[in-house]
Amino acid sequence: VKVLIYLTDIDDRDAVWKARREFFTGDYPVSTLIEISKLVRPELCVEIEAVGYLGSTSADEPANSE
């Protein structure tokens, strides 16, 4: 899992970390936090992009057989 967070005000990062702890437990995902001047919709102050993987592969099986 990887999380990319865009903030319009870096001072909001503590609130972001608090929310992150509510949704993730154990090993936290890799994340990047970037301050930007504005988002597409001016009333928004944060945008979060998350990429994850569901499922598993056996160590005895190739991850991609194609």
Side-chain angles (χ1 to χ4, degrees):
V1 175
K2 176 185 175 185
V3 179
L4 180 55
I5 304 166
Y6 299 96
L7 284 178
T8 57
D9 185 348
I10 200 69
D11 291 334
D12 292 336
R13 69 183 174 274
D14 289 336
V16 168
W17 298 142
K18 180 181 176 190
R20 187 174 181 241
R21 286 189 298 272
E22 292 176 18
F23 289 93
F24 296 106
T25 59
D27 294 332
Y28 291 109
V30 173
S31 65
T32 302
L33 176 68
I34 301 171
E35 182 181 32
I36 58 175
S37 60
K38 62 183 175 179
L39 292 164
V40 173
R41 293 178 52 189
E43 69 273 16
L44 299 178
C45 60
V46 63
E47 179 176 320
I48 301 173
E49 175 184 330
V51 178
Y53 173 78
L54 293 176
S56 63
T57 60
S58 170
D60 297 331
E61 297 177 22
N64 186 355
S65 59
E66 295 180 40

